[in-house]
Amino acid sequence: MRDKKIVVRPGESYLPACVIFILLGIVWLRMTDKTALLQEGGTANKMLFLCSLSCFLIGVHCILFMILTRIQLDNEKIVINTISLKRSEYLWSEITHAKITGREGRYSTVIYFCTIYAGERRIVKAPQYYTGFEEMFYELDKRNLLRRDDFYMAAKAKIKVDKRLHR
């Protein structure tokens, strides 16, 4: 990784959901009758307004999540930025181990997560569909920080298959 930074962040898979929620919120907001919101009997319009506002805010939250969340790995340390604007830095000497875990996702496929620990404390958990997951996986493997178990082997095989499919 000679002076190269690996950036792991939420991928574009979040973008369609963000756009859908924002557009849905705007469309519903346009459908509400502004005069009925001020009247006492307009509970349906008030509910539609609250739903549209909620959808819009969820979409904005997703976009902020995509923009602000990232994990940066370089030769010296790991820097973790979260949506709460909290920034954490860990030197490689502080990282004790990492492990790959899995969970059944949509369509009976397994989604793999890479969890990194400093001591006994979990510092970050990144799913396989984050951009840069593969580079992070190989960097942790190169540094002998990944626990080699069944999930590790399955995730490594899935990374190779995904790489062939996306050529």
Side-chain angles (χ1 to χ4, degrees):
M1 194 166 60
R2 300 171 193 92
D3 298 330
K4 179 184 166 195
K5 287 186 179 180
I6 296 172
V7 178
V8 182
R9 62 179 339 138
E12 288 79 31
S13 60
Y14 288 101
L15 194 57
C18 299
V19 172
I20 288 170
F21 274 110
I22 289 173
L23 290 177
L24 192 61
I26 291 171
V27 167
W28 282 353
L29 190 59
R30 299 282 299 158
M31 289 172 51
T32 58
D33 182 10
K34 307 305 187 261
T35 57
L37 286 174
L38 301 174
Q39 298 172 358
E40 279 189 39
T43 56
N45 265 340
K46 288 178 185 174
M47 291 303 293
L48 185 61
F49 175 75
L50 290 176
C51 287
S52 65
L53 185 63
S54 297
C55 280
F56 182 78
L57 291 176
I58 288 170
V60 169
H61 181 268
C62 288
I63 286 179
L64 287 174
F65 175 75
M66 285 179 56
I67 292 170
L68 298 175
T69 302
R70 80 172 165 263
I71 306 162
Q72 245 178 329
L73 296 92
D74 60 23
N75 286 334
E76 301 166 5
K77 62 187 177 231
I78 295 177
V79 179
I80 302 163
N81 295 315
T82 61
I83 191 168
S84 64
L85 301 178
K86 182 182 172 192
R87 179 183 169 118
S88 305
E89 293 185 13
Y90 298 92
L91 296 174
W92 282 108
S93 59
E94 296 177 276
I95 306 299
T96 54
H97 67 286
K99 67 180 178 178
I100 303 294
T101 56
R103 183 181 85 210
E104 190 168 311
R106 275 187 280 167
Y107 313 116
S108 298
T109 60
V110 178
I111 299 171
Y112 295 101
F113 297 87
C114 181
T115 310
I116 303 173
Y117 294 88
E120 293 298 315
R121 202 175 112 221
R122 181 181 87 184
I123 60 171
V124 71
K125 183 176 184 178
Q128 77 184 36
Y129 47 82
Y130 272 25
T131 305
F133 179 86
E134 178 184 355
E135 291 85 6
M136 179 180 66
F137 179 90
Y138 286 126
E139 183 61 30
L140 292 170
D141 194 30
K142 183 177 85 176
R143 293 178 183 267
N144 292 323
L145 291 171
L146 278 174
R147 187 176 69 192
R148 288 173 172 80
D149 57 6
D150 292 340
F151 281 122
Y152 165 84
M153 298 304 287
K156 193 169 185 175
K158 183 153 178 44
I159 287 171
K160 288 180 182 178
V161 168
D162 286 346
K163 197 172 187 177
R164 282 191 210 129
L165 289 176
H166 294 292
R167 279 188 184 172

